[in-house]
Amino acid sequence: MGVKKRTFFILFLCFGLIGNSVSAQVDFSLPDSTLARIFIDSVNDAKHQYDDNNGLRSLSQTAIDYARKAELTEEVAELLTVLGVVEMRESKFDEAVPFFWEAMEMMNRDLKDTLSAASVYINLANCKIKQDSLDKGMELIIAGIKVFEQFNDSAYLAYSYNTLAAILGQVGNFSEQLQYSHQAYLLGGTKLNDRYSLRLGSNLAMNLQKAEMLDSAAALGTRILERAKIQDDKRSLIHMHLLLCRIAFKEEKYEL
């Protein structure tokens, strides 16, 4: 392995809000596969936290080094997507793209895992959108949608339809924007029982208003407003108050 058989102490950052750190002892004389698993577990524990990107980046890179040595292809691909997301969190889209491309190629070529690869398409698409490459972003989203439809993956389909609707709105295709926004809502938004479903509903209500379907927009907007009050979702509250104000103004209903 070319690694000296001695014990090192590494500082692992605790990814909680208090930002404490704890030291963990790792024996680097262990096999590469074991070291890979140790670091992968640390990454899995930390990747859903958002207050220490540098720590997560360092852990992921170390995990990738050992996973490559141990020829853990699937784990390398997953870790590459983590690194891509880390860069996206900091709006470093140029840095994120190569990680996503390599992960996607490994999933397609080596793992034959088209569903996982399709999920990476969405991350790539979001990067391309932020880089003002709307055509490429749309191409990647549509490629992902085809796979998600094949596997009937409703969660990814809802997210992908919603993302595609946003792109279509940016290029002025409002009729298709409404179509995909409606599909996203039907798949993931009808219960309006969490912030994500409220976002899907809010997007549909706003697109209905743009399409001059004012009664439908007002009815959905009112329902979302009620649910947002219960969940204390301030973002949805603001958006739906504005939506209903615009509809009332358009219908010349100026009374309080």
Side-chain angles (χ1 to χ4, degrees):
M1 291 183 291
V3 178
K4 292 183 179 179
K5 293 183 179 293
R6 53 192 174 115
T7 300
F8 291 82
F9 286 85
I10 309 179
L11 188 67
F12 285 91
L13 296 179
C14 178
F15 288 78
L17 293 176
I18 56 175
N20 292 333
S21 60
V22 295
S23 60
Q25 186 174 351
V26 176
D27 182 355
F28 280 82
S29 68
L30 294 169
D32 289 331
S33 59
T34 304
L35 290 168
R37 295 294 177 191
I38 291 171
F39 283 97
I40 289 168
D41 287 345
S42 297
V43 170
N44 288 335
D45 288 341
K47 66 184 180 183
H48 298 298
Q49 303 297 329
Y50 294 86
D51 58 341
D52 187 5
N53 267 352
N54 287 333
L56 180 55
R57 183 185 288 111
S58 178
L59 280 174
S60 300
Q61 289 169 336
T62 304
I64 285 175
D65 289 342
Y66 284 103
R68 287 192 194 277
K69 292 177 184 177
E71 299 182 351
L72 301 175
T73 305
E74 181 177 357
E75 287 78 0
V76 170
E78 291 174 356
L79 290 163
L80 286 167
T81 63
V82 173
L83 278 177
V85 170
V86 167
E87 303 302 340
M88 284 185 70
R89 287 179 184 174
E90 297 181 356
S91 298
K92 297 178 180 177
F93 304 108
D94 290 340
E95 287 84 350
V97 166
F99 292 127
F100 289 136
W101 274 119
E102 184 178 356
M104 188 176 67
E105 288 175 353
M106 292 177 72
M107 290 170 179
N108 277 324
R109 182 190 64 233
D110 303 323
L111 300 171
K112 312 298 182 188
D113 186 350
T114 53
L115 184 59
S116 294
S119 68
V120 182
Y121 292 164
I122 310 305
N123 286 324
L124 276 169
N126 283 320
C127 287
K128 293 300 181 182
I129 293 165
K130 296 297 185 180
Q131 293 172 320
D132 295 323
S133 300
L134 292 181
D135 289 344
K136 187 62 178 178
M138 191 179 301
E139 176 187 325
L140 288 163
I141 287 283
I142 291 171
I145 284 173
K146 289 178 179 177
V147 176
F148 299 142
E149 288 176 338
Q150 177 186 346
F151 285 89
N152 196 29
D153 191 312
S154 59
Y156 269 123
L157 276 172
Y159 181 78
S160 303
Y161 288 150
N162 189 56
T163 304
L164 181 56
I167 300 175
L168 290 165
Q170 290 184 61
V171 299
N173 189 339
F174 300 119
S175 61
E176 286 196 40
Q177 179 187 34
L178 178 58
Q179 172 191 333
Y180 282 106
S181 180
H182 187 224
Q183 287 181 266
Y185 173 72
L186 290 177
L187 283 171
T190 55
K191 293 182 179 179
L192 299 176
N193 57 357
D194 57 31
R195 294 198 173 193
Y196 178 61
S197 60
L198 286 170
R199 298 291 184 274
L200 295 179
S202 297
N203 289 342
L204 176 57
M206 290 185 284
N207 291 333
L208 286 166
Q209 185 256 322
K210 282 194 289 186
E212 299 294 327
M213 300 173 68
L214 301 185
D215 289 345
S216 296
L220 180 56
T222 301
R223 182 172 172 235
I224 292 167
L225 196 63
E226 293 170 354
R227 298 294 299 176
K229 289 177 182 176
I230 294 171
Q231 297 180 42
D232 193 28
D233 185 341
K234 293 181 174 57
R235 182 177 183 271
S236 294
L237 284 170
I238 291 169
H239 284 178
M240 291 304 96
H241 277 303
L242 289 172
L243 172 79
L244 294 172
C245 284
R246 286 196 295 268
I247 293 172
F249 183 81
K250 194 147 196 169
E251 295 180 336
E252 300 183 358
K253 297 178 179 177
Y254 305 123
E255 69 278 4
L256 293 175

